[in-house]
Short mmCIF file of all heavy atoms in Angstrom, two decimals:
data_model
loop_
_atom_site.label_atom_id
_atom_site.label_comp_id
_atom_site.label_asym_id
_atom_site.label_seq_id
_atom_site.Cartn_x
_atom_site.Cartn_y
_atom_site.Cartn_z
N LEU O 1 -15.23 78.09 140.81
CA LEU O 1 -14.37 77.04 141.28
C LEU O 1 -13.47 77.49 142.45
O LEU O 1 -12.52 76.79 142.81
CB LEU O 1 -13.50 76.55 140.13
CG LEU O 1 -14.25 75.92 138.95
CD1 LEU O 1 -13.32 75.56 137.85
CD2 LEU O 1 -15.04 74.71 139.42
N ASP O 2 -13.82 78.63 143.04
CA ASP O 2 -13.11 79.14 144.23
C ASP O 2 -11.62 79.24 143.98
O ASP O 2 -10.82 78.81 144.76
CB ASP O 2 -13.42 78.22 145.43
CG ASP O 2 -13.00 78.84 146.76
OD1 ASP O 2 -12.95 80.09 146.81
OD2 ASP O 2 -12.77 78.10 147.71
N LEU O 3 -11.29 79.90 142.90
CA LEU O 3 -9.87 80.04 142.49
C LEU O 3 -9.42 81.49 142.45
O LEU O 3 -8.24 81.75 142.14
CB LEU O 3 -9.65 79.42 141.09
CG LEU O 3 -9.80 77.92 140.99
CD1 LEU O 3 -9.80 77.51 139.49
CD2 LEU O 3 -8.70 77.18 141.77
N ARG O 4 -10.28 82.42 142.81
CA ARG O 4 -9.93 83.84 142.67
C ARG O 4 -8.68 84.20 143.51
O ARG O 4 -7.83 84.97 143.03
CB ARG O 4 -11.10 84.74 143.04
CG ARG O 4 -10.83 86.22 142.89
CD ARG O 4 -12.06 87.05 142.87
NE ARG O 4 -12.92 86.72 141.76
CZ ARG O 4 -12.70 87.16 140.51
NH1 ARG O 4 -11.67 87.89 140.24
NH2 ARG O 4 -13.51 86.82 139.54
N ASP O 5 -8.59 83.70 144.72
CA ASP O 5 -7.47 84.07 145.58
C ASP O 5 -6.13 83.54 145.09
O ASP O 5 -5.08 84.02 145.54
CB ASP O 5 -7.72 83.55 147.02
CG ASP O 5 -8.83 84.31 147.70
OD1 ASP O 5 -9.20 85.39 147.22
OD2 ASP O 5 -9.33 83.80 148.73
N VAL O 6 -6.15 82.58 144.17
CA VAL O 6 -4.90 82.00 143.67
C VAL O 6 -4.73 82.25 142.18
O VAL O 6 -3.90 81.62 141.51
CB VAL O 6 -4.80 80.50 143.96
CG1 VAL O 6 -4.76 80.22 145.46
CG2 VAL O 6 -5.95 79.74 143.31
N ALA O 7 -5.49 83.16 141.61
CA ALA O 7 -5.51 83.37 140.15
C ALA O 7 -4.10 83.73 139.62
O ALA O 7 -3.77 83.33 138.50
CB ALA O 7 -6.47 84.51 139.81
N GLU O 8 -3.28 84.42 140.39
CA GLU O 8 -1.97 84.81 139.90
C GLU O 8 -0.85 83.97 140.48
O GLU O 8 0.31 84.34 140.39
CB GLU O 8 -1.73 86.30 140.18
CG GLU O 8 -2.88 87.23 139.79
CD GLU O 8 -3.29 87.07 138.34
OE1 GLU O 8 -2.43 86.72 137.51
OE2 GLU O 8 -4.48 87.27 138.04
N VAL O 9 -1.20 82.84 141.08
CA VAL O 9 -0.23 81.97 141.72
C VAL O 9 0.22 80.87 140.75
O VAL O 9 -0.63 80.27 140.06
CB VAL O 9 -0.79 81.35 143.00
CG1 VAL O 9 0.20 80.35 143.61
CG2 VAL O 9 -1.18 82.40 144.01
N PRO O 10 1.53 80.58 140.63
CA PRO O 10 1.95 79.50 139.78
C PRO O 10 1.39 78.15 140.23
O PRO O 10 1.26 77.91 141.46
CB PRO O 10 3.52 79.54 139.90
CG PRO O 10 3.83 80.87 140.39
CD PRO O 10 2.66 81.31 141.24
N ILE O 11 1.10 77.27 139.30
CA ILE O 11 0.54 75.98 139.62
C ILE O 11 1.41 75.20 140.56
O ILE O 11 0.91 74.50 141.48
CB ILE O 11 0.33 75.18 138.29
CG1 ILE O 11 -0.76 75.84 137.45
CG2 ILE O 11 -0.03 73.71 138.61
CD1 ILE O 11 -2.13 75.84 138.06
N GLU O 12 2.73 75.26 140.40
CA GLU O 12 3.63 74.45 141.21
C GLU O 12 3.56 74.82 142.69
O GLU O 12 4.01 74.01 143.51
CB GLU O 12 5.04 74.61 140.70
CG GLU O 12 5.57 76.05 140.73
CD GLU O 12 6.83 76.21 139.99
OE1 GLU O 12 7.33 75.20 139.41
OE2 GLU O 12 7.41 77.34 139.92
N SER O 13 2.94 75.96 143.04
CA SER O 13 2.86 76.35 144.46
C SER O 13 1.57 75.88 145.09
O SER O 13 1.34 76.15 146.28
CB SER O 13 2.96 77.86 144.55
OG SER O 13 4.19 78.34 143.99
N LEU O 14 0.69 75.22 144.35
CA LEU O 14 -0.68 74.95 144.82
C LEU O 14 -0.81 73.46 145.24
O LEU O 14 -0.16 72.60 144.67
CB LEU O 14 -1.69 75.26 143.73
CG LEU O 14 -1.76 76.72 143.30
CD1 LEU O 14 -2.66 76.87 142.10
CD2 LEU O 14 -2.20 77.59 144.47
N PRO O 15 -1.70 73.16 146.22
CA PRO O 15 -1.95 71.79 146.59
C PRO O 15 -2.71 71.03 145.50
O PRO O 15 -3.31 71.64 144.60
CB PRO O 15 -2.80 71.93 147.86
CG PRO O 15 -3.42 73.28 147.76
CD PRO O 15 -2.43 74.13 147.04
N PHE O 16 -2.73 69.74 145.60
CA PHE O 16 -3.27 68.87 144.57
C PHE O 16 -4.76 69.15 144.29
O PHE O 16 -5.17 69.27 143.13
CB PHE O 16 -3.07 67.40 144.96
CG PHE O 16 -3.55 66.41 143.90
CD1 PHE O 16 -2.79 66.18 142.80
CD2 PHE O 16 -4.74 65.75 144.07
CE1 PHE O 16 -3.21 65.26 141.83
CE2 PHE O 16 -5.17 64.83 143.12
CZ PHE O 16 -4.39 64.59 141.99
N GLY O 17 -5.53 69.30 145.34
CA GLY O 17 -6.97 69.51 145.16
C GLY O 17 -7.26 70.79 144.39
O GLY O 17 -8.17 70.86 143.55
N THR O 18 -6.48 71.85 144.65
CA THR O 18 -6.63 73.09 143.91
C THR O 18 -6.22 72.96 142.49
O THR O 18 -6.86 73.48 141.56
CB THR O 18 -5.78 74.20 144.57
OG1 THR O 18 -6.13 74.33 145.97
CG2 THR O 18 -6.02 75.56 143.90
N ARG O 19 -5.17 72.20 142.22
CA ARG O 19 -4.75 71.98 140.84
C ARG O 19 -5.82 71.26 140.05
O ARG O 19 -6.00 71.51 138.86
CB ARG O 19 -3.46 71.15 140.82
CG ARG O 19 -2.25 71.82 141.44
CD ARG O 19 -1.01 70.95 141.24
NE ARG O 19 0.11 71.46 142.06
CZ ARG O 19 1.36 71.04 141.94
NH1 ARG O 19 1.63 70.06 141.10
NH2 ARG O 19 2.31 71.52 142.72
N LYS O 20 -6.53 70.37 140.66
CA LYS O 20 -7.61 69.66 139.98
C LYS O 20 -8.68 70.59 139.57
O LYS O 20 -9.29 70.47 138.48
CB LYS O 20 -8.16 68.51 140.84
CG LYS O 20 -7.16 67.44 141.21
CD LYS O 20 -7.77 66.10 141.49
CE LYS O 20 -8.19 65.43 140.21
NZ LYS O 20 -8.30 63.97 140.35
N ARG O 21 -8.98 71.60 140.40
CA ARG O 21 -9.98 72.59 140.06
C ARG O 21 -9.52 73.47 138.90
O ARG O 21 -10.31 73.88 138.07
CB ARG O 21 -10.35 73.46 141.28
CG ARG O 21 -11.02 72.69 142.40
CD ARG O 21 -11.85 73.59 143.29
NE ARG O 21 -11.10 74.71 143.82
CZ ARG O 21 -10.33 74.67 144.89
NH1 ARG O 21 -10.19 73.53 145.59
NH2 ARG O 21 -9.70 75.75 145.32
N VAL O 22 -8.23 73.76 138.88
CA VAL O 22 -7.65 74.51 137.76
C VAL O 22 -7.79 73.78 136.45
O VAL O 22 -8.21 74.34 135.44
CB VAL O 22 -6.18 74.86 138.03
CG1 VAL O 22 -5.59 75.59 136.79
CG2 VAL O 22 -6.02 75.73 139.28
N GLU O 23 -7.53 72.49 136.47
CA GLU O 23 -7.64 71.70 135.21
C GLU O 23 -9.13 71.67 134.79
O GLU O 23 -9.43 71.76 133.59
CB GLU O 23 -7.14 70.27 135.39
CG GLU O 23 -7.03 69.59 134.07
CD GLU O 23 -6.32 68.26 134.12
OE1 GLU O 23 -6.62 67.48 135.01
OE2 GLU O 23 -5.43 68.03 133.26
N LEU O 24 -10.05 71.59 135.72
CA LEU O 24 -11.47 71.61 135.42
C LEU O 24 -11.82 72.98 134.81
O LEU O 24 -12.57 73.03 133.81
CB LEU O 24 -12.29 71.36 136.66
CG LEU O 24 -13.83 71.39 136.53
CD1 LEU O 24 -14.29 70.41 135.48
CD2 LEU O 24 -14.45 71.06 137.87
N ALA O 25 -11.29 74.07 135.37
CA ALA O 25 -11.56 75.39 134.84
C ALA O 25 -11.05 75.51 133.43
O ALA O 25 -11.69 76.12 132.54
CB ALA O 25 -10.90 76.45 135.76
N ARG O 26 -9.84 74.96 133.15
CA ARG O 26 -9.24 75.04 131.83
C ARG O 26 -10.13 74.31 130.81
O ARG O 26 -10.26 74.73 129.66
CB ARG O 26 -7.83 74.49 131.83
CG ARG O 26 -7.11 74.68 130.49
CD ARG O 26 -5.66 74.26 130.53
NE ARG O 26 -5.57 72.81 130.75
CZ ARG O 26 -4.43 72.19 130.81
NH1 ARG O 26 -3.26 72.85 130.70
NH2 ARG O 26 -4.37 70.84 131.01
N ALA O 27 -10.71 73.16 131.21
CA ALA O 27 -11.60 72.45 130.27
C ALA O 27 -12.88 73.22 130.06
O ALA O 27 -13.42 73.23 128.94
CB ALA O 27 -11.91 71.08 130.90
N LEU O 28 -13.40 73.87 131.10
CA LEU O 28 -14.68 74.53 130.96
C LEU O 28 -14.60 75.86 130.16
O LEU O 28 -15.58 76.23 129.52
CB LEU O 28 -15.26 74.87 132.37
CG LEU O 28 -15.85 73.69 133.11
CD1 LEU O 28 -16.17 74.07 134.55
CD2 LEU O 28 -17.16 73.22 132.38
N ILE O 29 -13.45 76.52 130.23
CA ILE O 29 -13.35 77.80 129.56
C ILE O 29 -13.47 77.66 128.04
O ILE O 29 -13.83 78.57 127.31
CB ILE O 29 -12.04 78.53 129.90
CG1 ILE O 29 -12.20 80.04 129.60
CG2 ILE O 29 -10.87 77.94 129.21
CD1 ILE O 29 -11.10 80.87 130.10
N GLY O 30 -13.21 76.43 127.55
CA GLY O 30 -13.35 76.16 126.14
C GLY O 30 -14.79 75.96 125.66
O GLY O 30 -15.01 75.66 124.50
#
């Protein structure tokens, strides 16, 4: 999901499109 560069970044610092990929990652890890 192209999130490696922001792995240690707080969600509140990220743009909306990136946040959507994070939520997708959280669903997939389960």
Side-chain angles (χ1 to χ4, degrees):
L1 299 175
D2 194 23
L3 293 170
R4 181 164 298 281
D5 290 344
V6 296
E8 311 307 329
V9 177
I11 292 296
E12 60 191 0
S13 303
L14 298 174
F16 183 76
T18 304
R19 295 184 191 190
K20 298 206 76 158
R21 296 203 306 275
V22 175
E23 191 172 48
L24 179 56
R26 187 175 64 179
L28 284 171
I29 200 171

